[in-house]
Amino acid sequence: MATATTTVAIAGITGTLAGLITKHLLKHPNVHINGLCRAPSKLPDLLRSESRITLFKAQSNDVKTIREAVRKADVVICCYLGDNTLMIDGQKTLIDASIAEGVPRYVASDYSMDFRKLEFGDHPVKDPMKHVQAYLETKKAQITAVHVLNACFLERPWQGIWDDKINTFKYWGTGDEKWEFTTYDNAAEYTAEIALDKEANGFLSFRGDYIDIHGIVADFKAVYNLEPKIQNLGTLDDLYKIMHETRDRDPGDMRAWLGLFYTYYSLNGQTVLPQPLDNNRYPNVRLVTVREFFIKTPKERLGKTLFLEV
């Protein structure tokens, strides 16, 4: 008997994480993907020509096309990344379209620290996740919500931690505070597994490493055979004061303050992932640690523009 096809709709398919999710889903021959995006031309040629991907071009408020894209889907994965209008209103439109078309599960565009432990306004870019979670709660009789928590993407924070020009790791706090890290690829692989697991629902938490600055430095020395300097930037209270002063000065300049907020809420313990983790739910996923990330990353690329292979 032929294996039934699983249809996965991915909204925002041209994004980095969505591309990685697509790569992992295509490893399964019985999967078909409906990809929704504003500019299909941004998708790599290899994916645009893939016979198991059907692309739909639409804005986030194009209800007609969105409904076509999610029709007969077994699950919708949202990979939107943008302003509050997209992250809140765009997701509500996508959720409503999914309900209208009878889609059983919706994976929210979270891929984050445990934002449930934040109050509105604590970490402004996490507010949309809280709004969407609340909206999905009102729709739980009509669609099952899934939220992927993977803490901090391992590829992201080095610009604020590592200064290659002076061979120095910089840190806030005592140095004993721990980062929670997961690579983009691991987060994508878990999300692909969740998409194919009809029993997966609610909040699922995954983590590749849990490590303080001392452990990071030790891994760096072991991999690159180089003794870095270490510079303390101040206490977490100092960081809290500076990040708010910076944002209050110019809320529109997110480059100036966003990394500070991420650092503070990654280290202060407030958003640590709930235990037990769900790492073992999908044993085929091999998690990458900080040391393994260093091994495959040229030192000169740390702290530079994000680079990923999709």
Side-chain angles (χ1 to χ4, degrees):
M1 187 170 64
T3 304
T5 297
T6 298
T7 299
V8 180
I10 302 178
I13 195 171
T14 55
T16 297
L17 183 64
L20 292 168
I21 294 170
T22 299
K23 177 188 75 172
H24 287 294
L25 284 171
L26 289 174
K27 294 176 182 177
H28 301 269
N30 62 322
V31 169
H32 185 89
I33 296 170
N34 289 348
L36 182 67
C37 59
R38 290 176 294 182
S41 61
K42 292 183 178 180
L43 205 64
D45 292 341
L46 188 64
L47 294 182
R48 286 208 309 273
S49 61
E50 169 59 55
S51 62
R52 290 189 289 137
I53 297 178
T54 302
L55 294 175
F56 296 82
K57 180 179 180 179
Q59 299 293 325
S60 62
N61 60 355
D62 182 349
V63 176
K64 180 176 181 294
T65 304
I66 292 172
R67 286 190 60 169
E68 290 174 2
V70 304
R71 190 165 296 151
K72 297 183 179 179
D74 295 283
V75 60
V76 169
I77 301 174
C78 185
C79 291
Y80 287 163
L81 180 62
D83 61 19
N84 284 6
T85 299
L86 176 65
M87 300 306 293
I88 301 173
D89 298 338
Q91 283 202 78
K92 287 181 177 181
T93 299
L94 184 60
I95 292 164
D96 291 345
S98 300
I99 292 171
E101 294 297 335
V103 179
R105 288 188 302 142
Y106 178 86
V107 181
S109 190
D110 299 329
Y111 320 107
S112 168
M113 58 182 60
D114 193 352
F115 61 87
R116 293 172 295 178
K117 300 171 183 176
L118 296 168
E119 299 296 329
F120 281 104
D122 279 352
H123 191 353
V125 297
K126 301 304 176 186
D127 286 356
M129 298 176 189
K130 297 180 70 66
H131 283 294
V132 170
Q133 180 202 1
Y135 189 72
L136 282 164
E137 283 290 320
T138 70
K139 306 292 183 180
K140 61 184 177 183
Q142 299 161 281
I143 195 165
T144 297
V146 184
H147 301 270
V148 179
L149 302 179
N150 54 253
C152 181
F153 285 117
L154 180 48
E155 295 87 350
R156 281 290 186 189
W158 305 106
Q159 191 168 3
I161 296 176
W162 170 243
D163 189 334
D164 185 57
K165 293 180 181 177
I166 56 174
N167 190 37
T168 299
F169 278 102
K170 301 178 179 181
Y171 70 96
W172 295 91
T174 64
D176 296 326
E177 299 87 355
K178 290 188 175 183
W179 287 90
E180 298 184 288
F181 287 133
T182 307
T183 65
Y184 270 87
D185 195 57
N186 279 159
E189 193 170 4
Y190 275 123
T191 304
E193 293 289 339
I194 286 167
L196 302 178
D197 177 3
K198 294 181 180 180
E199 302 303 314
N201 65 85
F203 282 82
L204 295 166
S205 303
F206 308 98
R207 184 172 73 196
D209 211 341
Y210 189 44
I211 188 170
D212 62 24
I213 191 66
H214 307 298
I216 291 171
V217 169
D219 285 345
F220 180 93
K221 288 165 62 176
V223 172
Y224 299 115
N225 194 29
L226 179 67
E227 183 79 41
K229 300 173 186 175
I230 306 175
Q231 178 184 351
N232 179 261
L233 298 174
T235 67
L236 289 184
D237 286 342
D238 294 333
L239 173 57
Y240 184 87
K241 180 181 178 182
I242 290 169
M243 74 191 200
H244 279 286
E245 288 175 347
T246 304
R247 184 172 185 268
D248 291 345
R249 227 172 8 249
D250 187 356
D253 185 10
M254 292 182 66
R255 283 178 172 270
W257 57 262
L258 185 58
L260 299 175
F261 275 76
Y262 268 107
T263 298
Y264 179 79
Y265 285 108
S266 293
L267 295 178
N268 78 338
Q270 185 174 341
T271 63
V272 68
L273 298 182
Q275 300 293 318
L277 298 171
D278 296 291
N279 288 8
N280 295 329
R281 185 181 180 107
Y282 307 109
N284 291 333
V285 179
R286 186 182 178 281
L287 285 161
V288 175
T289 65
V290 167
R291 180 171 295 211
E292 290 166 331
F293 172 72
F294 284 157
I295 288 171
K296 66 178 184 178
T297 304
K299 184 176 69 67
E300 59 271 15
R301 296 307 306 271
L302 294 176
K304 302 298 190 297
T305 303
L306 178 68
F307 64 101
L308 295 165
E309 292 183 4
V310 177

